[in-house]
Amino acid sequence: MTTTNVPKAASPAQAATPSAPFGTDVTWTNWGGNQSATPAFTVRPRTELEALDAVRFAVREGLPVRAVGSGHSSSPLVQTGGVLMDMSGLSAITGTDKIRRRARALAGTTINAFGDALWEQGLALSNQGDIDKQQIAGALATSTHGSGKELGSFSSKLRWVKLINGYGEIVEIGEGQLRELRAAQVALGTLGIFLEVELAVEDSYYLQEQITYPTWAETAATWQSDIDSNRHYSFLWCPGDDSCELLDLPGSPGQSMADRSYTKRYNVAQIQDESEISGIEGARLDRSYRIYPGGFTTQFHELEYFVRSEDGLAAVEVIQDLIRTKHPEQKYPVEVRWVKADEGYMSQFQGRDTTVITLTTEPGTDYWPFFRDADALLQEFEPRAHWGKIHFMTRNRLERLYPELDTFIQIRREFDPRGMFLNDHTRALVG
Ligand SMILES: Cc1cc2nc3c(=O)[nH]c(=O)nc-3n(C[C@H](O)[C@H](O)[C@H](O)COP(=O)(O)OP(=O)(O)OC[C@H]3O[C@@H](n4cnc5c(N)ncnc54)[C@H](O)[C@@H]3O)c2cc1C
């Protein structure tokens, strides 16, 4: 770990409040509307120096600090009664390296903002998830992922980070510090405030989309070949006729979607020139980042569990059975995706090629019995959980599921010995 060019921040005697714009009675609420907090100070740094000054202010005043990205997590990751750092003012692509296939960006840069900027340099993100609204540091903090058995999460692509630690210092972690880098790859915001990151990226590519609507029997019959033969394969299994509409997805014309899947395949396509780009629904051909989805207009709440790929089909069938027999009121599609194993200590994909199962529910309804039943039934598969979605993880569970948990906690304490970057939720998990 190296300390670099620490900018001059206000000295303790100089500043009684942060130098960045701030508010003291600002209630924060997440995208899903199920998490909120009223921090003592909500600070919106516009520069590295202002971010550093805000952390030093918190150190002096003995206040805890959390960062917020785009607020798309539905677990209580962001809440603090101390200083909330809204990182949206630190947004820019700061460099690209075509030879090494690397891109640097400020922590508050949204995934969406990478698209055009990287394309102009002949580069692209390797994969994206169901939306592109997250800030890159927010996506990294929870190991946000897309789908594709050879494709890792955003966290698996982190090669360098500059952050503010719990001493109020700016430090860098690069590939020469693998021990720390694997902690930074998925840190739940507990190592410090990320300022800038470097990701491994790819040469730019076009994707051909293919949407189909097989029955469940057909989906199960071609399970492995679909996973193996597509760059990106994922599906949403629909329990009811109108399941697709709940997520604004077009259903199969003239057919009931009950017990059918909405399957997505994206594969690399070579084109001569961009006149070949096609916007035909279900068969689009375009630059990669335009094929990946952008966002949802309606809110929902999700639980997302991760099982070993070899258990994927059995685990999905357990959930289908649960919906059919005990929770027929659950009509949202069940999304199924694949992610390649990685090495981040707190990554849900650490050491496991993974099948991802996402349960989506309607805000304002009592979905807890469904989530609790799903959690209990999936235990036989030793599931990990998405840090940014509703889950039932405890320290005891983490000890069983994450072989490098102790290493992560040791590194977290080295970066933040006073635990100033913890909140109640993260203290219980990795304090
Ligand atoms: C509609 C929707 C679709 C989604 N689709 C997917 C998907 O396809 N795949 C998937 O894996 N997930 C998905 N998610 C989950 C989402 O990607 C994660 O919850 C992600 O962490 C949200 O990023 P954010 O920028 O909103 O971060 P926030 O939710 O604001 O914060 C998440 C964590 O990042 C930390 N953080 C943010 N910025 C910094 C910083 N600068 N320094 C240090 N820590 C920081 C926060 O403290 C917090 O711990 C989806 C969520 C929604 C609501």
Side-chain angles (χ1 to χ4, degrees):
M1 192 168 70
T2 50
T3 305
T4 98
N5 306 323
V6 182
K8 286 193 171 41
S11 73
Q14 283 173 324
T17 54
S19 56
F22 70 92
T24 55
D25 57 356
V26 182
T27 297
W28 166 84
T29 304
N30 69 338
W31 177 87
N34 66 326
Q35 304 290 346
S36 60
T38 308
F41 293 85
T42 300
V43 183
R44 190 170 182 273
R46 296 159 299 188
T47 63
E48 197 173 273
L49 181 58
E50 286 186 347
L52 180 65
D53 181 63
V55 172
R56 289 185 174 174
F57 163 77
V59 170
R60 273 197 314 279
E61 301 300 325
L63 291 168
V65 177
R66 293 292 288 166
V68 61
S70 298
H72 275 65
S73 296
S74 45
S75 55
L77 278 174
V78 162
Q79 281 91 333
T80 180
V83 176
L84 184 66
M85 308 258 298
D86 170 348
M87 300 301 286
S88 52
L90 283 169
S91 169
I93 304 294
T94 50
T96 52
D97 184 335
K98 172 76 174 148
I99 308 290
R100 293 171 59 241
R101 298 191 183 92
R102 295 296 170 86
R104 282 194 179 193
L106 299 184
T109 310
T110 59
I111 292 171
N112 174 275
F114 282 79
D116 286 338
L118 263 55
W119 191 269
E120 283 164 17
Q121 307 302 323
L123 296 168
L125 295 171
S126 302
N127 200 8
Q128 294 181 209
D130 285 346
I131 58 166
D132 61 10
K133 308 293 181 235
Q134 307 95 322
Q135 293 179 16
I136 189 61
L140 290 165
T142 65
S143 206
T144 290
H145 61 87
S147 190
K149 78 164 208 172
E150 297 299 335
L151 303 172
S153 69
F154 279 93
S155 296
S156 71
K157 306 294 177 189
L158 182 71
R159 297 291 180 269
W160 170 89
V161 55
K162 179 162 60 168
L163 68 132
I164 308 170
N165 66 15
Y167 297 94
E169 299 167 338
I170 295 184
V171 297
E172 295 180 34
I173 306 171
E175 288 170 272
Q177 297 116 326
L178 262 194
R179 173 177 173 273
E180 288 80 10
L181 189 64
R182 286 178 180 156
Q185 281 171 333
V186 188
L188 290 75
T190 66
L191 283 197
I193 303 300
F194 282 26
L195 295 170
E196 190 177 358
V197 299
E198 180 178 297
L199 303 178
V201 296
E202 294 194 13
D203 289 339
S204 54
Y205 56 101
Y206 292 89
L207 284 177
Q208 171 77 65
E209 172 191 62
Q210 187 193 10
I211 306 288
T212 59
Y213 302 93
T215 61
W216 172 246
E218 291 162 346
T219 312
T222 57
W223 181 271
Q224 198 58 45
S225 59
D226 276 324
I227 299 167
D228 291 341
S229 60
N230 293 288
R231 184 182 196 276
H232 168 118
Y233 173 66
S234 64
F235 68 83
L236 294 105
W237 172 74
C238 295
D241 285 342
D242 53 356
S243 297
C244 270
E245 286 140 46
L246 294 171
L247 289 180
D248 292 331
L249 297 169
S252 175
Q255 277 175 321
S256 164
M257 279 305 293
D259 207 27
R260 279 184 188 275
S261 305
Y262 173 99
T263 70
K264 291 195 273 187
R265 297 175 185 79
Y266 304 151
N267 286 298
V268 172
Q270 309 298 334
I271 67 171
Q272 298 304 317
D273 66 69
E274 292 208 337
S275 64
E276 295 177 46
I277 283 175
S278 162
I280 297 171
E281 182 74 40
R284 291 174 303 148
L285 170 61
D286 209 334
R287 298 178 181 182
S288 57
Y289 62 97
R290 294 176 182 162
I291 293 286
Y292 296 117
F296 291 95
T297 46
T298 47
Q299 289 173 322
F300 46 75
H301 295 164
E302 291 184 325
L303 170 143
E304 183 168 297
Y305 275 14
F306 302 83
V307 301
R308 294 177 186 84
S309 275
E310 55 268 33
D311 294 329
L313 179 55
V316 170
E317 287 179 336
V318 162
I319 294 298
Q320 290 175 323
D321 199 42
L322 174 67
I323 292 173
R324 287 184 187 121
T325 58
K326 198 169 170 195
H327 293 286
E329 78 285 0
Q330 297 299 331
K331 295 296 185 202
Y332 274 85
V334 174
E335 187 174 20
V336 182
R337 292 178 278 180
W338 285 266
V339 183
K340 187 178 164 67
D342 64 32
E343 295 177 312
Y345 300 137
M346 297 308 294
S347 168
Q348 303 91 310
F349 315 107
Q350 192 272 341
R352 292 182 178 188
D353 288 331
T354 294
T355 301
V356 182
I357 304 172
T358 310
L359 307 184
T360 304
T361 54
E362 189 175 342
T365 62
D366 183 12
Y367 45 72
W368 291 103
F370 175 49
F371 280 177
R372 274 197 298 271
D373 286 343
D375 174 72
L377 286 171
L378 290 177
Q379 287 310 306
E380 66 170 297
F381 303 109
E382 301 181 312
R384 293 170 175 165
H386 197 305
W387 298 119
K389 303 194 181 188
I390 292 166
H391 64 76
F392 300 94
M393 286 292 146
T394 61
R395 181 72 155 253
N396 281 343
R397 284 199 192 185
L398 298 194
E399 279 168 8
R400 290 196 297 274
L401 293 167
Y402 289 84
E404 298 290 351
L405 176 68
D406 288 347
T407 313
F408 178 80
I409 291 173
Q410 195 181 332
I411 294 167
R412 191 201 63 67
R413 289 176 180 159
E414 289 164 16
F415 275 69
D416 180 23
R418 285 170 293 209
M420 69 179 286
F421 296 116
L422 295 172
N423 65 3
D424 289 348
H425 179 68
T426 50
R427 186 176 298 103
L429 295 171
V430 296

